[in-house]
Amino acid sequence: MDRVALRGLKARGHHGVFPREREDGQTFLVDIVLGLDTRPAAADDDLAKTVHYGIVAEEVVAVVEGEPVNLVETLAERIAQVCLKHEGVEEVEVCVHKPDAPITVPFDDVTVTIIRSRA
């Protein structure tokens, strides 16, 4: 299976369990890796036979900017489901970064990574 990756999609969301997270919002970063067969697109040099990653990127950002959820796990699942709606995408790996998570000790990043497939 071939891979198309988008890394570092950035959007502001209001996700989290604490009131401050819901009110103020914070930046989330998303990496996605789409699994699909790119051979038909390559053979015909035809965008219609592959995934349009620009559209996927817009849809992922819309999910992050959309309806708030408590858990990063829920956000990752919603993003995965949006990606799997694209014809030809057989699996997706989603990594959601929450670099401004409310943690009381020094840290670089918090991530949740999930892998989902049509099967």
Side-chain angles (χ1 to χ4, degrees), residues 8-66:
L9 295 171
K10 186 184 292 189
R12 188 158 187 85
H14 294 264
H15 312 289
V17 295
F18 298 112
R20 182 179 58 82
E21 294 179 291
R22 291 295 183 108
E23 293 165 10
D24 298 341
Q26 60 192 292
T27 299
F28 291 84
L29 299 168
V30 180
D31 304 323
I32 60 171
V33 180
L34 306 168
L36 65 152
D37 184 357
T38 64
R39 288 176 292 191
D44 294 337
D45 198 26
D46 187 353
L47 176 62
K49 295 183 177 181
T50 188
V51 64
H52 191 312
Y53 51 78
I55 291 172
V56 173
E58 291 171 359
E59 292 173 350
V60 168
V61 166
V63 171
V64 176
E65 293 176 344

Side-chain angles (χ1 to χ4, degrees), residues 24 35 51 75 91 114:
D24 298 341
V51 64
L75 182 60
E91 83 174 20
I114 64 170

Side-chain angles (χ1 to χ4, degrees), residues 10 46 49 77 81 93 98 103 106 109 111 117-118:
K10 186 184 292 189
D46 187 353
K49 295 183 177 181
E77 184 67 34
Q81 294 311 311
E93 177 178 311
K98 189 175 179 180
I103 297 175
D109 197 6
T111 65
S117 64
R118 290 184 186 273

